[in-house]
């Protein structure tokens, strides 16, 4: 005859709701111990209560309710001690909502597979029993209780996994960017609904197809070479530009981020995010074309000012938009979290401990993603600029730059620091920030000095490096993109003046002067000079 432990294990592994499985188990336990009633309670740790999940025969509670645990409760005593407790009618249990009118004896047994206990198992008999269970029966009951506790824990983890999966799938499906996964051969295994907007294909029509179907042959070959090179270098993340081919045959430019998918320590494919940058690139090309056509003649000064104002305003609006929508860029991390949860769901029956570890890994990754989101948002608009003022904000910016770029830095202050108009402080901060970015990208410098000079009516910020320098403003624009133009326009908007001094091999000095009492759209002329001194 099979043991009670094995019978209960089989009953609880049958498909179906947890309550139905527990009711079958309660009936089998009652049969085995000749009990008149069996009730299974779940332990709600957060609410400090126990809840009737299933019952067979005489129910001591009478209805399925939540019982709040308090000091002195026999239920709480059993949960803490982890050992069965016998109760009899004449002993009573006045602190619990228990009905002893139809029973004479009851036995409360913890359902424990670890800390905290998953719940309680209550057996009841109509008559009074001096010895409820033999030593052998009590051992069998404890083993059976552990099986029930493990099953309840498994069901609970499974429900948590399903809720998490639904949440992260909703995030993926609501993303504006195309999210996809491939196998090791490059065949699509998953695509979100944004695929239809980006490429015109339904996600279902592409599953099983090679991604070469939606890119040009040149993009396919270039991507394969880049992936091969990344594997050789041991890199797991890759940034690419794809020329995509929509279902109607038109081409679209995609900014793609790829990461390796791992399963049991082995590469199982790729996960990627693709963003349509066709319009953005067209605008960049248009801006570049207009920039090449502009001159610094008086005849076209107003056109230049309008253009540069548009560029700067567009940059600031883009920063605000990024601050609002930055969470969309975390989709890749969230998909990685979802994959860990998928693995946990697959192992929930065979290896509950490993499944729990998967959930913890997903939680840690989610915390890291949130921290990265906070850091990026802080970079867009440092709070200390508003809270502490220009000088502390610049000291923070320069210290961080030196640490990240491994460049020796120095901050010099001449005069008495004072608070400027908010627009002026933001402009000085952005000019210094852009200057440091140019040093990092182009100068190959070993030392950078930032000076702040507080005069009677003017404040001057000077960024000087000992790097490669350049031969002229035209070359500087070609290397710095819209950086120098953006700084020029910022200077104009606050009535300031920007000058650049540079020579090949002699470093670069950017000097920005702004009046203390400036107003937006000031009328000062912009100075942009080449000098060898």
């Amino acid at each position: 005859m099979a043991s009670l432990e094995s019978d209960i294990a089989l009953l609880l592994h049958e498909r179906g709701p947890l309550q139905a499985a527990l009711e079958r188990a309660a009936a089998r336990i009652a049969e085995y111990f000749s009990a008149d009633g069996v009730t299974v309670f779940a332990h709600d740790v957060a609410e400090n209560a126990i809840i009737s999940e299933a019952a067979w025969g005489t129910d001591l509670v009478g209805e399925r309710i939540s019982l709040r645990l308090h000091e002195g409760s026999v239920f709480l005593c059993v949960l803490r001690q982890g050992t069965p407790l016998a109760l009899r009618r004449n002993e009573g249990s006045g602190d619990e909502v228990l009905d002893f009118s139809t029973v004479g004896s009851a036995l409360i047994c913890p359902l424990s597979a670890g800390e905290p206990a998953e719940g309680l198992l209550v057996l009841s008999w109509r008559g009074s029993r001096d010895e409820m269970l033999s030593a052998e029966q009590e051992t069998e009951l404890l083993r059976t209780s552990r099986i029930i506790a493990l099953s309840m824990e498994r069901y609970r983890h499974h429900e948590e996994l399903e809720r998490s999966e639904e949440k992260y799938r909703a995030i993926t499906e609501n993303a504006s960017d195309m999210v996809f996964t491939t196998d090791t051969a490059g065949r699509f295994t998953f695509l979100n609904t944004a695929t239809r907007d980006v490429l015109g294909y339904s996600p279902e029509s592409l599953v099983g197809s090679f991604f070469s179907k939606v890119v040009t042959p040149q993009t396919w070959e270039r991507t394969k070479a880049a992936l091969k090179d990344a594997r050789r270098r041991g890199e797991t993340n890759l940034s690419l530009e794809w020329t995509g081919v929509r279902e109607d045959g038109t081409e679209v430019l995609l900014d793609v981020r790829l990461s390796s998918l791992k399963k049991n320590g082995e590469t199982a494919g790729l996960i990627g995010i693709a963003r349509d940058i066709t319009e953005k690139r067209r605008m960049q090309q248009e801006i570049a074309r207009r920039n090449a056509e502009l001159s610094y003649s008086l005849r076209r000064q107003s056109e230049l000012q309008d253009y540069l104002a548009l560029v700067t305003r567009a940059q600031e609006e883009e920063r605000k938009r990024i601050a609002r929508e930055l969470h969309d860029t975390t989709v890749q991390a969230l998909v990685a979290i979802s994959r860990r949860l998928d693995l946990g769901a697959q192992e929930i029956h065979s290896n509950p401990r490993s499944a729990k570890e998967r959930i913890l890994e997903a939680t840690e990754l989610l915390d890291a993603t949130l921290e990265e989101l906070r850091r990026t948002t802080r970079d867009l608009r440092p709070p200390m600029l508003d809270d502490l003022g220009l000088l502390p904000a610049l000291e923070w910016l320069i210290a961080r730059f030196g640490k990240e770029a491994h460049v020796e830095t120095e901050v010099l202050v001449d005069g008495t620091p004072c608070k400027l108009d908010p627009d002026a402080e933001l402009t000085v901060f952005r000019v210094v920030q852009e200057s440091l970015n140019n040093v990092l990208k182009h100068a190959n410098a070993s030392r950078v000095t930032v000076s702040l000079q507080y005069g009677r009516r003017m404040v001057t910020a000077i960024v000087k490096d000992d790097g490669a320098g350049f031969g002229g403003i035209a070359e500087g624009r070609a290397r710095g993109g819209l950086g120098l133009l953006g700084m020029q326009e910022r200077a104009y908007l606050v009535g300031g003046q920007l000058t650049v001094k540079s020579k090949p091999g002699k470093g670069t000095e950017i000097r920005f002067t702004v009046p203390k009492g400036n107003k937006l759209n000031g009328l000062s002329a912009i100075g942009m000079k080449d000098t060898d001194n």
Side-chain angles (χ1 to χ4, degrees):
M1 180 177 178
S3 68
L4 176 63
E5 182 181 357
S6 60
D7 286 350
I8 296 301
L10 289 174
L11 290 171
L12 293 177
H13 275 80
E14 293 181 7
R15 293 184 177 273
L18 175 62
Q19 180 181 337
L22 290 176
E23 287 176 350
R24 291 192 298 268
R28 179 67 182 94
I29 292 170
E31 178 187 9
Y32 186 89
F33 293 108
S34 300
D36 297 306
V38 174
T39 304
V40 181
F41 291 93
H43 182 199
D44 188 333
V45 178
E47 295 294 331
N48 192 32
I50 57 172
I51 303 167
S52 175
E53 288 285 351
W56 182 91
T58 303
D59 189 351
L60 287 176
V61 176
E63 59 177 312
R64 289 174 183 172
I65 60 174
S66 174
L67 300 179
R68 183 75 62 177
L69 299 174
H70 54 83
E71 291 300 324
S73 163
V74 293
F75 287 154
L76 184 60
C77 177
V78 175
L79 287 171
R80 287 177 174 175
Q81 294 182 359
T83 57
L85 177 66
L87 294 175
R88 295 172 178 81
R89 182 183 301 170
N90 57 354
E91 296 171 354
S93 133
D95 60 335
E96 305 292 354
V97 188
L98 298 179
D99 182 7
F100 272 89
S101 62
T102 58
V103 301
S105 305
L107 182 65
I108 305 175
C109 181
L111 299 175
S112 179
E115 291 292 340
E118 290 294 324
L120 296 168
L121 180 67
V122 180
L123 286 71
S124 62
W125 293 267
R126 292 191 181 90
S128 179
R129 297 167 65 97
D130 294 332
E131 182 181 6
M132 296 183 186
L133 302 179
S134 66
E136 180 181 350
Q137 287 178 318
E138 184 171 331
T139 300
E140 186 73 9
L141 178 62
L142 290 173
R143 289 177 178 173
T144 301
S145 299
R146 177 175 174 79
I147 293 295
I148 297 174
L150 288 171
S151 296
M152 293 174 70
E153 182 182 38
R154 184 177 69 251
Y155 271 94
R156 178 168 51 82
H157 285 320
H158 183 68
E159 290 176 352
E160 291 172 356
L161 284 170
E162 286 185 338
R163 286 194 297 269
S164 298
E165 183 180 27
E166 289 175 1
K167 178 173 66 175
Y168 294 120
R169 183 173 294 276
I171 292 174
T172 301
E173 290 300 330
N174 290 328
S176 58
D177 295 335
M178 173 179 162
V179 181
F180 62 90
T181 60
T182 73
D183 60 17
T184 53
R187 287 181 290 257
F188 288 118
T189 56
F190 166 80
L191 303 101
N192 69 340
T193 55
T195 302
R196 191 183 300 276
D197 297 328
V198 176
L199 293 176
Y201 289 93
S202 67
E204 298 79 12
S205 67
L206 291 178
V207 172
S209 301
F210 288 97
F211 74 81
S212 59
K213 180 177 180 179
V214 297
V215 299
T216 62
Q218 297 83 357
T219 298
W220 169 254
E221 295 299 330
R222 189 170 63 250
T223 301
K224 288 195 299 181
L227 289 170
K228 182 178 179 180
D229 187 53
R231 285 193 294 268
R232 180 180 58 80
R233 296 195 306 267
E235 296 178 353
T236 57
N237 299 303
L238 192 62
S239 298
L240 297 166
E241 277 194 2
W242 280 2
T243 302
V245 181
R246 292 174 54 87
E247 189 175 27
D248 60 9
T250 59
E251 292 187 352
V252 58
L253 190 61
L254 302 175
D255 178 31
V256 180
R257 300 290 189 269
L258 297 174
S259 294
S260 296
L261 279 176
K262 298 290 186 179
K263 184 175 182 180
N264 299 325
E266 298 293 332
T267 300
L270 295 171
I271 180 171
I273 299 177
R275 171 168 292 184
D276 184 351
I277 59 170
T278 307
E279 183 62 20
K280 177 181 178 182
R281 182 57 52 83
R282 188 196 66 77
M283 292 181 64
Q284 289 174 340
Q285 291 172 347
E286 177 65 15
I287 290 173
R289 184 188 66 80
R290 292 188 61 189
N291 177 50
E293 295 175 351
L294 290 174
S295 69
Y296 285 90
S297 65
L298 293 175
R299 182 178 60 85
R300 304 187 67 184
Q301 176 106 17
S302 61
E303 180 184 357
L304 173 63
Q305 292 169 350
D306 291 341
Y307 167 68
L308 294 178
L310 175 63
V311 171
T312 297
R313 291 186 183 115
Q315 289 174 335
E316 288 303 318
E317 288 300 317
E318 180 68 2
R319 292 180 188 275
K320 293 177 183 178
R321 186 190 67 78
I322 291 173
R324 292 193 304 266
E325 301 180 358
L326 193 57
H327 65 276
D328 284 348
T329 65
T330 63
V331 169
Q332 185 169 349
L334 294 175
V335 172
I337 293 170
S338 179
R339 295 301 170 233
R340 283 170 169 78
L341 294 173
D342 285 341
L343 291 175
Q346 294 169 12
E347 296 176 342
I348 194 69
H349 296 293
S350 59
N351 194 341
R353 183 183 298 276
S354 177
K356 186 175 183 180
E357 291 175 357
R358 297 290 186 188
I359 296 172
L360 292 176
E361 288 175 4
T363 302
E364 292 172 357
L365 182 55
L366 183 58
D367 291 341
T369 303
L370 290 173
E371 181 58 31
E372 178 64 16
L373 183 61
R374 295 190 187 100
R375 186 194 67 78
T376 303
T377 306
R378 184 173 62 248
D379 287 348
L380 293 173
R381 174 78 183 201
M384 64 177 63
L385 184 61
D386 298 320
D387 299 338
L388 302 180
L390 177 62
L391 183 56
L394 286 177
E395 289 174 339
W396 166 79
L397 174 67
I398 296 159
R400 193 183 70 165
F401 168 81
K403 182 178 180 181
E404 294 179 351
H406 305 290
V407 173
E408 183 180 354
T409 60
E410 184 178 17
V411 180
L412 302 176
V413 180
D414 183 18
T416 303
C418 61
K419 188 169 182 62
L420 304 179
D421 180 272
D423 292 322
E425 290 196 338
L426 176 60
T427 302
V428 173
F429 183 89
R430 292 301 188 201
V431 167
V432 173
Q433 186 179 47
E434 184 61 28
S435 300
L436 294 176
N437 287 339
N438 286 337
V439 171
L440 182 63
K441 294 177 182 177
H442 308 295
N444 193 26
S446 61
R447 180 179 175 81
V448 177
T449 301
V450 179
S451 304
L452 275 181
Q453 300 174 355
Y454 290 89
R456 189 164 59 91
R457 290 186 297 180
M458 310 290 287
V459 175
T460 302
I462 304 170
V463 180
K464 186 174 182 180
D465 68 74
D466 62 354
F470 51 87
I473 296 305
E475 180 184 344
R477 289 177 189 157
R479 294 172 57 185
L482 291 176
L484 291 177
L485 285 174
M487 288 190 282
Q488 276 187 301
E489 197 276 338
R490 287 180 183 277
Y492 167 74
L493 286 180
V494 294
Q497 183 173 352
L498 183 79
T499 60
V500 177
K501 182 171 65 175
S502 185
K503 186 177 180 181
K506 299 295 184 180
T508 301
E509 179 185 287
I510 294 179
R511 180 182 294 264
F512 173 54
T513 300
V514 62
K516 287 184 177 180
N518 70 289
K519 293 183 179 179
L520 192 63
N521 291 322
L523 298 179
S524 296
I526 302 173
M528 193 70 174
K529 304 175 183 177
D530 289 329
T531 175
D532 294 338
N533 297 326

Short mmCIF file of all heavy atoms in Angstrom, two decimals, residues 50 67-80 85 93 95-96 120:
data_model
loop_
_atom_site.label_atom_id
_atom_site.label_comp_id
_atom_site.label_asym_id
_atom_site.label_seq_id
_atom_site.Cartn_x
_atom_site.Cartn_y
_atom_site.Cartn_z
N ILE A 50 -3.90 33.98 8.94
CA ILE A 50 -4.02 32.70 8.23
C ILE A 50 -5.38 32.69 7.56
O ILE A 50 -6.36 33.25 8.07
CB ILE A 50 -3.86 31.50 9.18
CG1 ILE A 50 -4.89 31.54 10.32
CG2 ILE A 50 -2.45 31.38 9.70
CD1 ILE A 50 -4.89 30.28 11.17
N LEU A 67 -8.08 34.83 9.54
CA LEU A 67 -7.92 34.94 11.00
C LEU A 67 -6.66 35.71 11.30
O LEU A 67 -5.55 35.30 10.95
CB LEU A 67 -7.84 33.55 11.63
CG LEU A 67 -9.05 32.63 11.43
CD1 LEU A 67 -8.78 31.29 12.09
CD2 LEU A 67 -10.30 33.28 11.98
N ARG A 68 -6.81 36.88 11.94
CA ARG A 68 -5.67 37.69 12.32
C ARG A 68 -4.90 37.02 13.45
O ARG A 68 -5.49 36.55 14.42
CB ARG A 68 -6.14 39.07 12.75
CG ARG A 68 -5.04 40.05 13.10
CD ARG A 68 -4.34 40.56 11.88
NE ARG A 68 -5.24 41.31 11.02
CZ ARG A 68 -4.86 41.91 9.91
NH1 ARG A 68 -3.60 41.80 9.52
NH2 ARG A 68 -5.73 42.56 9.17
N LEU A 69 -3.59 36.94 13.32
CA LEU A 69 -2.75 36.33 14.36
C LEU A 69 -2.34 37.39 15.38
O LEU A 69 -2.02 38.52 15.02
CB LEU A 69 -1.50 35.70 13.72
CG LEU A 69 -1.76 34.58 12.72
CD1 LEU A 69 -0.46 34.16 12.05
CD2 LEU A 69 -2.42 33.38 13.40
N HIS A 70 -2.33 37.01 16.64
CA HIS A 70 -1.90 37.94 17.69
C HIS A 70 -1.17 37.16 18.76
O HIS A 70 -1.20 35.92 18.80
CB HIS A 70 -3.12 38.66 18.27
CG HIS A 70 -4.21 37.73 18.76
ND1 HIS A 70 -4.17 37.14 20.00
CD2 HIS A 70 -5.33 37.28 18.14
CE1 HIS A 70 -5.24 36.36 20.14
NE2 HIS A 70 -5.97 36.43 19.03
N GLU A 71 -0.47 37.87 19.59
CA GLU A 71 0.29 37.22 20.66
C GLU A 71 -0.65 36.41 21.54
O GLU A 71 -1.71 36.88 21.95
CB GLU A 71 1.03 38.26 21.50
CG GLU A 71 2.18 38.95 20.77
CD GLU A 71 3.22 37.97 20.30
OE1 GLU A 71 3.49 36.98 21.02
OE2 GLU A 71 3.78 38.17 19.20
N GLY A 72 -0.27 35.17 21.83
CA GLY A 72 -1.10 34.28 22.62
C GLY A 72 -1.94 33.35 21.77
O GLY A 72 -2.54 32.41 22.29
N SER A 73 -1.98 33.59 20.46
CA SER A 73 -2.75 32.73 19.57
C SER A 73 -2.10 31.36 19.47
O SER A 73 -0.89 31.24 19.31
CB SER A 73 -2.83 33.38 18.18
OG SER A 73 -3.22 32.43 17.21
N VAL A 74 -2.93 30.30 19.55
CA VAL A 74 -2.38 28.95 19.41
C VAL A 74 -1.85 28.74 17.99
O VAL A 74 -0.87 28.02 17.78
CB VAL A 74 -3.44 27.88 19.76
CG1 VAL A 74 -3.80 27.94 21.23
CG2 VAL A 74 -4.69 28.02 18.89
N PHE A 75 -2.50 29.36 17.03
CA PHE A 75 -2.01 29.26 15.65
C PHE A 75 -0.62 29.86 15.54
O PHE A 75 0.29 29.29 14.92
CB PHE A 75 -2.96 29.98 14.69
CG PHE A 75 -4.25 29.23 14.47
CD1 PHE A 75 -5.40 29.92 14.09
CD2 PHE A 75 -4.32 27.86 14.62
CE1 PHE A 75 -6.58 29.25 13.86
CE2 PHE A 75 -5.50 27.17 14.39
CZ PHE A 75 -6.64 27.87 14.02
N LEU A 76 -0.43 31.06 16.11
CA LEU A 76 0.88 31.72 16.05
C LEU A 76 1.92 30.89 16.79
O LEU A 76 3.08 30.79 16.37
CB LEU A 76 0.77 33.12 16.65
CG LEU A 76 2.04 33.98 16.57
CD1 LEU A 76 2.46 34.18 15.12
CD2 LEU A 76 1.81 35.34 17.25
N CYS A 77 1.51 30.27 17.88
CA CYS A 77 2.42 29.42 18.66
C CYS A 77 2.92 28.25 17.81
O CYS A 77 4.12 27.95 17.78
CB CYS A 77 1.71 28.92 19.92
SG CYS A 77 2.71 27.79 20.92
N VAL A 78 2.01 27.59 17.08
CA VAL A 78 2.41 26.46 16.23
C VAL A 78 3.31 26.92 15.09
O VAL A 78 4.29 26.27 14.76
CB VAL A 78 1.16 25.74 15.68
CG1 VAL A 78 1.56 24.65 14.69
CG2 VAL A 78 0.34 25.15 16.82
N LEU A 79 2.98 28.06 14.49
CA LEU A 79 3.81 28.58 13.39
C LEU A 79 5.22 28.88 13.87
O LEU A 79 6.20 28.64 13.16
CB LEU A 79 3.18 29.85 12.82
CG LEU A 79 1.92 29.66 11.98
CD1 LEU A 79 1.27 31.01 11.67
CD2 LEU A 79 2.24 28.93 10.68
N ARG A 80 5.35 29.40 15.08
CA ARG A 80 6.68 29.74 15.59
C ARG A 80 7.46 28.52 16.03
O ARG A 80 8.66 28.38 15.74
CB ARG A 80 6.54 30.73 16.76
CG ARG A 80 6.15 32.14 16.34
CD ARG A 80 5.96 33.03 17.55
NE ARG A 80 5.72 34.42 17.16
CZ ARG A 80 5.43 35.38 18.04
NH1 ARG A 80 5.32 35.09 19.34
NH2 ARG A 80 5.22 36.62 17.60
N LEU A 85 0.32 20.73 17.76
CA LEU A 85 -0.28 21.07 19.05
C LEU A 85 -1.67 20.45 19.10
O LEU A 85 -2.48 20.63 18.19
CB LEU A 85 -0.38 22.60 19.20
CG LEU A 85 -1.05 23.09 20.48
CD1 LEU A 85 -0.20 22.73 21.71
CD2 LEU A 85 -1.27 24.60 20.41
N SER A 93 -10.09 27.13 23.28
CA SER A 93 -9.17 28.01 22.59
C SER A 93 -9.87 29.33 22.38
O SER A 93 -10.23 29.71 21.28
CB SER A 93 -8.74 27.37 21.28
OG SER A 93 -8.79 28.17 20.23
N ASP A 95 -9.18 32.32 22.27
CA ASP A 95 -8.64 33.44 21.52
C ASP A 95 -8.76 33.24 20.02
O ASP A 95 -8.35 34.07 19.24
CB ASP A 95 -7.17 33.66 21.86
CG ASP A 95 -6.33 32.43 21.53
OD1 ASP A 95 -6.88 31.34 21.51
OD2 ASP A 95 -5.13 32.62 21.27
N GLU A 96 -9.31 32.10 19.56
CA GLU A 96 -9.43 31.84 18.13
C GLU A 96 -10.92 31.73 17.76
O GLU A 96 -11.79 31.51 18.60
CB GLU A 96 -8.73 30.52 17.75
CG GLU A 96 -7.30 30.46 18.17
CD GLU A 96 -6.42 31.43 17.38
OE1 GLU A 96 -6.92 32.06 16.44
OE2 GLU A 96 -5.24 31.56 17.73
N LEU A 120 -0.97 26.10 7.98
CA LEU A 120 -1.30 25.15 9.05
C LEU A 120 -2.26 24.09 8.51
O LEU A 120 -3.08 24.36 7.63
CB LEU A 120 -1.96 25.88 10.22
CG LEU A 120 -1.10 26.91 10.97
CD1 LEU A 120 -1.98 27.73 11.90
CD2 LEU A 120 0.01 26.21 11.75
#
